[in-house]
């Protein structure tokens, strides 16, 4: 007789506070980008920059609220790098919250884009650190569960495959390198936009390669929206790969870039909202 074993659904460890902070953070980031469309070829208004500042900071707070479990699960170095990277993505726009017109100042825009790139590098190194942590777990037989008296070793393991972690880390790395090249030429080079498209595409590949586990743990709607968001961010830069002048001289394509980024971030917000609904539904079963 054949027996089919269906993997048990595991409870979502993230707290409601952490999930809400993450969802609202992505929503604010998305709204900030959408509002930026009105000043695509000049400079976005103060409210747009304020939302783009608050969004990543809330996302960093969301990770910080979950720091103890994450440190145990993926390693403290990885967590610190991810938190630092998220904060940098918000802090980089601080000058424009104070004075939006500084966006047109080459020096200040370079500072912001440089810090954004540094944040992406931190996220890349953070995923790489998770891969190192996973390797050590394998070598040690995943003994962390016993250290805290947890009778379920899977609670302490890194479920993401090395393919997922490598794709994610490489994705953030290529995206960061592409952004660094924006510092050299106003509007960027074709190569810089190609790297950004490739980076975001790899992030989507990372999510898709981990689809089965994520779907089981977080639910299909949340995962699908997350993947759509990653793919959307990759699409946002394609017009500038075709013609780099579209970034500085085409109102339509410049506005489209901000809007598509906003839509992709909003997908992330709704994705986490579905995770919150799933956590609430699962809580009623236990």
């Amino acid at each position: 007789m054949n027996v089919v074993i269906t993997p048990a659904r595991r409870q979502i460890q993230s707290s409601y506070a952490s999930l809400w902070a993450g969802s609202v953070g992505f929503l604010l980031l998305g709204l900030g980008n959408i509002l930026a469309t009105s000043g695509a070829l000049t400079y976005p208004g103060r409210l747009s920059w304020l939302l783009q500042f608050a969004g990543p900071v809330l996302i960093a707070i969301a990770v910080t609220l979950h720091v103890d479990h994450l440190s145990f699960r993926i390693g403290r170095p990885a967590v610190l790098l991810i938190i630092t990277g998220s904060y940098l993505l918000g802090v980089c726009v601080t000058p424009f919250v104070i004075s939006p017109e500084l966006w047109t100042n080459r020096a200040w825009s370079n500072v912001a884009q440089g810090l954004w790139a540094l944040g992406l590098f931190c996220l890349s190194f953070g995923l790489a650190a998770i891969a190192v942590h996973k390797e050590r777990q394998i070598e040690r037989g995943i003994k962390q569960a016993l250290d805290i008296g947890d009778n379920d070793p899977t609670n302490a393991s890194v479920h993401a495959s090395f393919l997922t972690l490598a794709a994610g880390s490489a994705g953030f790395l290529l995206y960061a390198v592409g952004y660094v090249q924006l510092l050299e030429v106003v509007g960027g080079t074709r190569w810089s936009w190609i790297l950004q498209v490739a980076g975001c595409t790899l992030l989507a590949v990372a999510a898709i390669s981990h689809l089965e586990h994520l779907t089981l743990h977080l639910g299909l709607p949340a995962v699908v929206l997350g993947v759509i968001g990653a793919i959307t961010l990759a699409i946002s830069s394609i017009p500038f790969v075709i013609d780099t002048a579209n970034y500085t001289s085409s109102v339509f394509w410049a506005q489209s870039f901000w809007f598509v980024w906003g839509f992709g971030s909003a997908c992330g917000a709704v994705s986490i909202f579905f995770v919150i609904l799933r956590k609430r539904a699962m809580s009623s079963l236990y």
Side-chain angles (χ1 to χ4, degrees), residues 182 187-197 237 240-241 244 247:
L182 286 176
T189 63
R190 178 170 284 106
W191 185 241
S192 70
W193 292 111
I194 289 175
L195 289 175
Q196 291 184 60
V197 171
S237 298
F240 314 123
V241 172
T244 57
Y247 185 72

Side-chain angles (χ1 to χ4, degrees), residues 243-256:
D243 184 358
T244 57
N246 285 332
Y247 185 72
T248 55
S249 60
S250 172
V251 174
F252 174 78
W253 288 118
Q255 289 180 332
S256 297

Side-chain angles (χ1 to χ4, degrees), residues 43-51 53 90-103 108:
Y43 55 87
R46 180 173 284 106
L47 179 58
S48 169
W49 291 120
L50 180 61
L51 294 176
F53 166 82
V91 171
C92 70
V93 301
T94 302
F96 314 128
V97 175
I98 300 171
S99 181
E101 59 273 13
L102 287 177
W103 177 245
W108 281 108

Side-chain angles (χ1 to χ4, degrees), residues 38-116:
S38 62
L41 291 183
T42 53
Y43 55 87
R46 180 173 284 106
L47 179 58
S48 169
W49 291 120
L50 180 61
L51 294 176
Q52 291 183 64
F53 166 82
V57 169
L58 270 176
I59 294 170
I61 290 174
V63 180
T64 304
L65 290 173
H66 200 41
V67 67
D68 290 335
H69 177 75
L70 286 176
S71 295
F72 170 69
R73 186 72 173 270
I74 63 177
R76 188 167 293 275
V79 175
L80 291 177
L81 282 166
I82 291 171
I83 291 175
T84 301
S86 299
Y87 274 120
L88 284 172
L89 297 186
V91 171
C92 70
V93 301
T94 302
F96 314 128
V97 175
I98 300 171
S99 181
E101 59 273 13
L102 287 177
W103 177 245
T104 60
N105 183 292
R106 182 66 177 162
W108 281 108
S109 63
N110 276 353
V111 168
Q113 291 173 332
L115 288 175
W116 178 273

Side-chain angles (χ1 to χ4, degrees), residues 9 12 211-225 271 274-275 278 282:
R9 294 180 178 179
I12 296 171
L211 192 63
E212 184 177 353
H213 174 75
L214 288 175
T215 301
L216 178 66
H217 189 47
L218 305 178
L220 184 60
V223 176
V224 169
L225 277 168
S271 174
F274 277 122
V275 175
R278 183 177 178 86
M282 293 182 68

